[in-house]
Structure formats: structure tokens, C-alpha cells
Amino acid sequence: MPTSIELTQLRLLLAEGGQLIDVLPPREYAEEHLPGAINIPLKQLGADTTSALDRHKPVAVYCHDPL
């Protein structure tokens, strides 16, 4: 179930081993992304592209949209 979190909560989640997924297209990801983020473009997000994630750790998914 998706849940919005604040930056302080995200920092804590990542400090405790959480996984950070950036869903931008590869070119945009290459231009700018948060340190430690894994790129899985939104259009490719699925069981096969997320199989390498640790299912026992929380996942935070984000997309930077400057608009």
C-alpha cells in the first residue's frame, strides 16, 4: 500500500537499510538522482525488474518532477 513520507522519515528508512527506487527514464536518472537510488523506469516496473530487491526491507519509490 503506497504511503507518503516526509524527508526525515525517508532518511531514517534508508539509514535502516531501506531501498530507494527512482522511476525516472534512464536519461533523466543519469542527469540527477538521489545518492544510492536504483533506477527502475516506471514503464518497466514489474515483477521481473524488481526481483533483485530484498523483499524483507522497505522500499521507497520516487520520481522528481520539477513542474
Side-chain angles (χ1 to χ4, degrees):
M1 176 61 117
T3 303
S4 294
I5 62 173
E6 298 295 323
L7 182 57
T8 55
Q9 293 171 297
L10 176 61
R11 286 183 175 143
L12 180 59
L13 179 121
L14 296 176
E16 294 175 347
Q19 303 163 100
L20 184 60
I21 309 300
D22 184 321
V23 294
L24 285 172
R27 190 185 72 189
E28 292 176 43
Y29 171 83
E31 290 174 6
E32 187 172 351
H33 61 273
L34 295 176
I38 299 166
N39 183 226
I40 303 175
L42 185 59
K43 291 183 178 183
Q44 298 173 7
L45 197 61
D48 56 330
T49 58
T50 59
S51 62
L53 298 175
D54 186 336
R55 303 236 181 250
H56 301 290
K57 294 183 179 181
V59 175
V61 178
Y62 80 97
C63 178
H64 173 70
D65 186 355
L67 298 176

